[in-house]
């Protein structure tokens, strides 16, 4: 059985209208309802930039993520979403290597997610993934850590995704090392 896949699409919107975005998400989920293996589609607002968002799709397999993309691009939903964006979105797909705690699909609106991408030297992606798994084990000691997942880029196996879930900004801030080698962005789930 192939591993689950997370698709992270980062986008900037011209305006923030949560009701309109909610209606679009409902339409997108209607399109994805016909795609086997769609687990969830969530929208996250970047904490430091209210016009920047991460759309995270969760699928049972790589094939399901491809079918979902095809279905969305052929639907009128994609044109509506594109009209709202101020620049071309960036989508990346990751195999889910490991997850812990609360699942991505069951996180409540208002919870936080920190996203980091780590690029290892060639052939050392698995080592970075193992290190990130250990970091998540250590994060369990911080009150407010809800869980997380470790992913591996589908096309660049040495790029590793860390997605940690938090109940609050102070919980996230308590997790930050004094000196980080990786950029870590904080998002809040809005849909």
């Amino acid at each position: 059985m192939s591993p689950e896949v997370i698709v992270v699409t980062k986008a900037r919107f011209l305006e923030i209208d949560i009701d309109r975005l909610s209606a679009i998400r409902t339409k997108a989920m209607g399109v994805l309802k016909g795609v086997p293996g769609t687990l969830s589609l969530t929208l996250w607002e970047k904490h430091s930039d209210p016009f920047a968002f991460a759309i995270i799709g969760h699928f049972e397999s790589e094939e399901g993520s491809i079918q979902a993309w095809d279905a969305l691009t052929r639907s009128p939903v994609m044109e509506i979403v594109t009209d709202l964006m101020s620049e071309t979105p960036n989508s990346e797909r990751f195999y889910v290597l490991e997850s812990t705690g609360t699942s991505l699909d069951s996180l409540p609106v208002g919870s936080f997610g920190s996203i980091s991408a780590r690029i290892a030297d060639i052939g050392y992606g698995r080592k970075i993934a193992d290190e990130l798994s250990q970091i998540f084990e250590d994060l369990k000691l911080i009150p407010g850590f809800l869980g997380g997942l470790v992913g591996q880029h589908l096309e660049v196996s040495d790029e590793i995704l860390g997605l940690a879930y938090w109940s609050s900004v102070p919980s996230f801030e308590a997790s930050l090392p004094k000196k980080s080698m990786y950029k870590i962005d904080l998002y809040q789930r809005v849909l």
Side-chain angles (χ1 to χ4, degrees):
M1 186 169 104
S2 65
E4 293 177 357
V5 170
I6 295 289
V7 180
V8 179
T9 302
K10 294 183 179 175
R12 290 191 59 77
F13 290 104
L14 294 167
E15 62 182 73
I16 303 169
D17 182 343
I18 295 300
D19 291 335
R20 186 172 183 196
L21 292 173
S22 178
I24 293 168
R25 178 181 176 262
T26 300
K27 288 178 183 178
M29 287 305 294
V31 170
L32 294 177
K33 194 176 218 174
V35 177
T38 299
L39 300 173
S40 68
L41 183 67
T42 54
L43 181 68
W44 301 75
E45 180 180 18
K46 192 170 184 179
H47 190 65
S48 63
D49 181 354
F51 290 94
F53 288 83
I55 303 161
I56 303 178
H58 187 190
F59 304 92
E60 288 180 352
S61 67
E62 180 181 359
E63 182 180 323
S65 73
I66 293 168
Q67 289 176 358
W69 178 253
D70 289 343
L72 283 172
T73 56
R74 287 192 216 135
S75 77
V77 173
M78 189 58 78
E79 187 175 322
I80 296 168
V81 171
T82 303
D83 287 344
L84 291 175
M85 293 183 185
S86 61
E87 57 191 51
T88 305
N90 175 32
S91 289
E92 295 184 287
R93 294 182 304 145
F94 298 87
Y95 291 119
V96 176
L97 299 178
E98 182 179 328
S99 62
T100 185
T102 304
S103 71
L104 173 65
D105 312 327
S106 61
L107 290 168
V109 169
S111 55
F112 294 86
S114 56
I115 300 175
S116 65
R118 300 158 189 241
I119 300 174
D121 291 332
I122 294 173
Y124 286 91
R126 187 68 231 187
K127 183 176 187 227
I128 295 290
D130 291 343
E131 287 174 8
L132 194 51
S133 294
Q134 183 56 53
I135 289 169
F136 282 2
E137 282 299 311
D138 296 342
L139 292 178
K140 290 178 180 179
L141 300 174
I142 297 175
F145 175 70
L146 302 175
L149 68 81
V150 176
Q152 181 178 39
H153 200 284
L154 266 68
E155 296 166 1
V156 183
S157 62
D158 293 316
E159 183 174 337
I160 305 300
L161 172 76
L163 179 54
Y165 320 130
W166 306 96
S167 63
S168 67
V169 174
S171 296
F172 161 70
E173 289 173 343
S175 76
L176 294 174
K178 291 181 182 180
K179 188 175 183 182
S180 178
M181 294 175 34
Y182 305 101
K183 181 180 176 190
I184 303 171
D185 292 316
L186 183 64
Y187 290 81
Q188 184 171 22
R189 182 172 177 190
V190 292
L191 294 174

